[in-house]
Amino acid sequence: MLAQRTSGTRLARMFSMANLRSTPAADGCRMPGEFEPHRGCWMLWPQRPDNWRNAAQPAQRAFVAVARAIARFEPVTVGASAEQRDVAARLLGPRVRVVELASDDAWMRDVGPTCVVSRRGVVRGVDWRFNAWGGLDGGLYFPWDQDARVARRVLEIEGLPRYRAPMVCEGGAIHSDGAGTLLVTEQCLLNPNRNPTLGRQRIENLLKAYTGARTVIWLGDGVWADETSGHIDNLACFVAPGCVLLAYEENRRDPMHRISRDAYERLLAARDARGERLQVVKLPMPGPLYMTAREASGVQRRRGAKRRRAGERLAASYVNFYLPNGAVVMPLLDARKDAAARRILKQAFPDRRIVGVPAREILLGGGNIHCITQQIPLGGGA
Ligand code: KQY
């Protein structure tokens, strides 16, 4: 009886330690930049045939190439469903850890935790509310309950305490410079399909409370035709505090040109949390790229899931890369433009290896390499 009571008390204590009631800002935490050192990277295994063509097999090969490229630089864990776990482990090979983890699709950036670090270097995770990029108003699939449990499960496996954020947000909707500045888009975070009862100021305050940021820089729209309602992670990101890479379409007749130019002007006018101006580096865009009839016909049609149509513009962007320790894993999307993008990335990150991975199959599912990955920062304390 005593033993039972003791273990009950210990369990309750463990639970309250694992679920933090305060906020990262109140606890002195900050969200590191992706360019800071990582403990590792998490991904999910694609399988749903109503998003990935040909029973998800081409996408699985692309995810394998991404996971293996990252695993050269830092540990990678891939969550797969019970029925796909063995297939995933066989295809991913011995350098990638595979764990059983149920999800509705494979966008770890968005359904995984956003990690923050305390002043003593302790890593904790933020578990945002998730509604499949818009809920019943333009969301991409229904239901999404398994996705909504992924962040919590990752934090349990990693043994990290969890903050539960009271707002809908996705990891791809925010970029941090690690020094108190957050980059976001109005199109996504002010979209009524995310937090219809919250105004701009309340959303900004919650972003600050749950990332430790002091300054939020608002860009306007995200990449043209981006089905996430304009995630920042397809449009712009930090190279380091004070320096931003921006997806820039030079062709004035392309609808993306206006979006790039508006973002460029806002970034040049902005000041970061340190009060400094930003250097903005333009990264050319691939394409324009479109879904072919053959590609669209390989995707099963199902009620409740976004339909894929031949001729649809794809939201292709070279900004959608991942930064493992010591490298840039970039999407190869357009043979006419990949080399130029690679050169600019090398100039921006001279000390990192640039590793290109063919990524059209990921793009066909609506995102890219950044969207399918989520880093756990190294932190540095006890
Ligand atoms: O941009 C991202 N972070 C995710 C893309 C999700 C696309 C879902 N089909």
Side-chain angles (χ1 to χ4, degrees), residues 67-333:
R68 288 190 175 178
I70 296 171
R72 288 165 52 193
F73 303 96
E74 65 189 32
V76 178
T77 304
V78 175
S81 68
E83 65 272 21
Q84 282 279 314
R85 186 193 164 140
D86 291 346
V87 178
R90 184 166 48 76
L91 295 174
L92 286 159
R95 291 187 66 171
V96 177
R97 174 172 73 149
V98 177
V99 299
E100 195 176 308
L101 181 52
S103 63
D104 296 293
D105 202 359
W107 306 98
M108 186 54 100
R109 176 65 49 188
D110 294 341
V111 301
T114 294
C115 285
V116 294
V117 181
S118 76
R119 287 193 197 97
R120 291 172 54 216
V122 180
V123 179
R124 299 168 180 168
V126 176
D127 179 2
W128 306 101
R129 291 188 195 286
F130 178 76
N131 75 350
W133 307 275
L136 300 179
D137 168 19
L140 299 180
Y141 45 74
F142 174 87
W144 55 80
D145 53 304
Q146 301 194 107
D147 277 349
R149 286 192 288 270
V150 169
R152 181 183 198 133
R153 191 74 197 106
V154 169
L155 293 171
E156 281 167 3
I157 295 171
E158 289 282 340
L160 299 175
R162 162 181 175 264
Y163 294 100
R164 177 62 165 157
M167 69 178 281
V168 173
C169 182
E170 302 96 34
I174 53 176
H175 257 309
S176 169
D177 72 350
T181 312
L182 219 57
L183 211 50
V184 303
T185 67
E186 292 171 346
Q187 186 194 358
C188 176
L189 277 164
L190 301 187
N191 199 308
N193 69 13
R194 296 305 208 280
N195 296 287
T197 62
L198 306 180
R200 181 188 186 106
Q201 196 53 57
R202 177 90 179 114
I203 288 172
E204 183 166 322
N205 290 345
L206 283 169
L207 289 171
K208 289 176 174 171
Y210 283 87
T211 64
R214 300 184 305 282
T215 299
V216 177
I217 298 177
W218 291 90
L219 303 187
D221 286 350
V223 166
W224 182 256
D226 188 327
E227 63 193 40
T228 63
S229 330
H231 269 182
I232 191 69
D233 74 342
N234 217 17
L235 178 69
C237 68
F238 287 105
V239 173
C243 183
V244 172
L245 269 171
L246 172 67
Y248 203 93
E249 178 53 63
E250 295 282 0
N251 180 0
R252 287 166 186 273
R253 288 195 299 273
D254 189 308
M256 183 61 208
H257 176 72
R258 175 196 60 78
I259 296 169
S260 293
R261 211 184 50 205
D262 175 64
Y264 188 66
E265 284 163 9
R266 291 188 193 217
L267 286 166
L268 289 186
R271 299 234 179 213
D272 67 15
R274 304 165 310 160
E276 305 280 334
R277 291 211 182 274
L278 299 168
Q279 180 197 351
V280 186
V281 177
K282 295 177 179 175
L283 192 57
M285 302 199 69
L289 304 178
Y290 301 90
M291 184 166 289
T292 66
R294 188 190 166 97
E295 288 166 343
S297 71
V299 181
Q300 280 180 20
R301 280 175 62 179
R302 190 182 293 173
R303 264 188 69 194
K306 179 180 163 58
R307 191 165 160 201
R308 303 283 171 199
R309 290 190 168 83
E312 257 176 12
R313 174 103 177 238
L314 300 166
S317 162
Y318 291 117
V319 166
N320 212 310
F321 55 76
Y322 178 70
L323 293 177
N325 296 327
V328 179
V329 176
M330 68 168 286
L332 300 178
L333 293 165

